[in-house]
Amino acid sequence: MNQSEFPVLTLITFLPALGAVFILLTNKAEITQIRWTAFITTFMNFLFSLPVFFYFNAGSAEMQFVEEVAWIKEYGISYFVGIDGISLLLILLTTFFAPICVVACWKDIKDKVKEFMICLLLLETGMIGVFVSLDLFLFYVFWEVMLIPMYLLIGIWGAPARRIYAAIKFFLFTMFGSLLMLVAILVLYFINHSVTGEYTFNLLKLYELSIPFHVQTWLFLAFFLAFAIKVPMFPFHTWLPDAHTEAPTVGSVLLAAVLLKMGTYGFLRFSMPLFPVASHNFIPLVSILAIIGIIYGALVSMVQKDLKRLVAFSSVSHLGFVMLGLFALNIQSVQGGLIQMINHGLSTGALFLIVGMIYERRHTRMIADFGGLSRVMPVFATFFMIVTLSSIGLPGLNGFVGEFLILLGTFKSNVVYAVFAATGVIFAAVYMLWMFQRVMFGEVTREENRNLKDLSVREIGVLVPILIFIFWIGLYPKTFLGKTEASVQHFLKEFNKKYEASIQKKDNIHAVNKSEELIVKK
């Protein structure tokens, strides 16, 4: 492990919480000061996260910038944080989107601004905490911390009609999965004690456990439900369209850009390395559910009349690709899955911002209420077109890199899975381009649309940084893939080693049992 001389991970994890405390002490009438405090805090946090990216040793698979301090020593709980190539890009994605979200809601949020910004900052702390935690207890704390501000963002600042319903549904789904995961964490904790005599939540030590096969299955299922709900995988996705539709724009952006990645990240960081045999056994089930999600999400997106619901269901399809890639278990597919997590965050986050911008002008998200907007909003149309093309995976833009690697890796692993998944790419082009055509092209048939203002400087400033990364990843993905390669190779090597060792042990036990049976019979 590479110990950190400067606690940079602690800094970027808790700086937003510190900003939240500062805002808490600010008079709620000082709205401008509150907004600037939130922006400066999140922007500084993004700047502090840049050295983590540039100083990260891409050639090493070890945990880096590690900090470990005993927290509740008698129970083996420690403040243990560190990152590898698997978590690096997700942390950068979180710090990147936080200041964008503050600027995006600068004029949109007019009610309870102080409370809104506090929730936003606490949410950022929770999200980063999930990605840096190497202690299962600490991870669970951040997992739950992140749940509360998102629940409040949907329930208080969401659309009036169904925001309470959507918030409660989001909370219940996530909490149900979380409780099962907590039980599984405790079982792991006691198994480790029974084997080593040590009470610990240290993830790296728990990786070394050899867990019996039947126990692995149950623990895998408990973690699976928690992460599959968060992804969300078919058929655990039903909370997502409601949460996305009712949440304020930046709530939808953070939900799509970062929160959904906690599920896919959870599979890579916890489920697969801890339970390799169970993970291997569940590959067919997970892959089939992922393919159903890809096709189902695309088909449902085609029939949506609401722009936000269309983008929400497209997430089910896109994240199906990620899950398929992760469980194909080769270097191309897993790296493709990782980069697709980032791509989905950028493309879908930008789409929700664009839908929010048009909603602020017309107070409707119905596709039928638009048409011909490219004539009155040419700058908006340009940004919208680039983001749409990135979402459907046009070569040269970010989406293509992830989907190509996933399909390439899946093809090596299982041709049938790859063929079915590829249909999702075609469906995505159909529903996204059809949506774009109905909103942007044709005649302006509604009087309300004739005098719509094009994007403001602030709105352009929100979208330009995202477009830079959309082109950067699309044209030169090596910058990002190079940071993940060593960690992914190490992950696959350890996974295969543990799986083969477990199978060999299982065969030995089976052989011994058979010999004993023969002796008894004789």
Side-chain angles (χ1 to χ4, degrees), residues 61 90 138 143 248 282 313 350 378 498:
L90 292 167
L138 186 67
W143 182 274
F282 278 100
F313 275 107
K498 283 183 73 175

Side-chain angles (χ1 to χ4, degrees), residues 231-491:
V231 171
M233 282 191 78
F234 177 88
F236 309 104
H237 66 283
T238 58
W239 63 271
L240 181 75
D242 292 317
H244 266 317
T245 308
E246 306 306 323
T249 297
V250 297
S252 298
V253 172
L254 286 175
L255 197 59
V258 184
L259 261 74
L260 304 187
K261 311 304 172 309
M262 292 178 181
T264 47
Y265 170 78
F267 279 107
L268 265 182
R269 175 67 73 218
F270 301 99
S271 299
M272 297 164 84
L274 284 169
F275 320 116
V277 178
S279 299
H280 199 276
N281 291 343
F282 278 100
I283 284 175
L285 175 66
V286 174
S287 300
I288 289 168
L289 288 179
I291 291 168
I292 292 173
I294 290 169
I295 297 173
Y296 164 82
L299 293 176
V300 177
S301 294
M302 283 185 197
V303 297
Q304 293 305 308
K305 298 175 181 175
D306 183 319
L307 280 168
K308 230 178 173 185
R309 286 187 78 83
L310 185 152
V311 179
F313 275 107
S314 75
S315 290
V316 177
S317 183
H318 287 137
L319 289 165
F321 274 105
V322 176
M323 288 301 298
L324 187 67
L326 298 186
F327 276 79
L329 284 169
N330 55 57
I331 184 73
Q332 292 86 2
S333 69
V334 177
Q335 274 205 292
L338 259 177
I339 202 72
Q340 191 64 1
M341 290 186 212
I342 308 302
N343 293 336
H344 175 262
L346 293 169
S347 301
T348 309
L351 279 172
F352 276 120
L353 285 169
I354 284 170
V355 173
M357 288 168 186
I358 207 169
Y359 179 78
E360 283 305 309
R361 286 163 171 76
R362 286 282 282 107
H363 298 289
T364 176
R365 298 186 302 262
M366 294 296 119
I367 294 172
D369 290 334
F370 301 106
L373 292 193
S374 61
R375 296 169 182 267
V376 292
M377 301 175 71
V379 178
F380 175 81
T382 306
F383 280 98
F384 196 2
M385 172 58 91
I386 294 170
V387 174
T388 300
L389 293 176
S390 86
S391 182
I392 63 179
L394 186 79
L397 300 177
N398 60 335
F400 175 76
V401 179
E403 287 182 354
F404 174 76
L405 286 173
I406 288 171
L407 289 175
L408 179 67
T410 307
F411 193 87
K412 286 172 67 177
S413 170
N414 189 309
V415 176
V416 177
Y417 291 166
V419 170
F420 275 105
T423 60
V425 179
I426 300 165
F427 289 146
V430 172
Y431 69 77
M432 290 300 290
L433 291 177
W434 190 34
M435 175 267 292
F436 187 82
Q437 179 254 318
R438 285 180 289 168
V439 173
M440 303 309 298
F441 294 144
E443 295 296 321
V444 181
T445 55
R446 291 179 181 267
E447 284 301 315
E448 304 93 310
N449 295 335
R450 292 190 187 281
N451 298 313
L452 289 178
K453 288 184 180 177
D454 211 337
L455 295 186
S456 66
V457 174
R458 178 182 64 85
E459 290 168 326
I460 292 173
V462 165
L463 292 174
V464 164
I466 302 175
L467 260 61
I468 290 172
F469 279 97
I470 283 175
F471 281 108
W472 189 350
I473 295 174
L475 296 172
Y476 194 70
K478 190 179 178 183
T479 309
F480 306 94
L481 291 174
K483 294 283 185 183
T484 64
E485 188 172 353
S487 297
V488 172
Q489 281 179 339
H490 178 74
F491 161 79

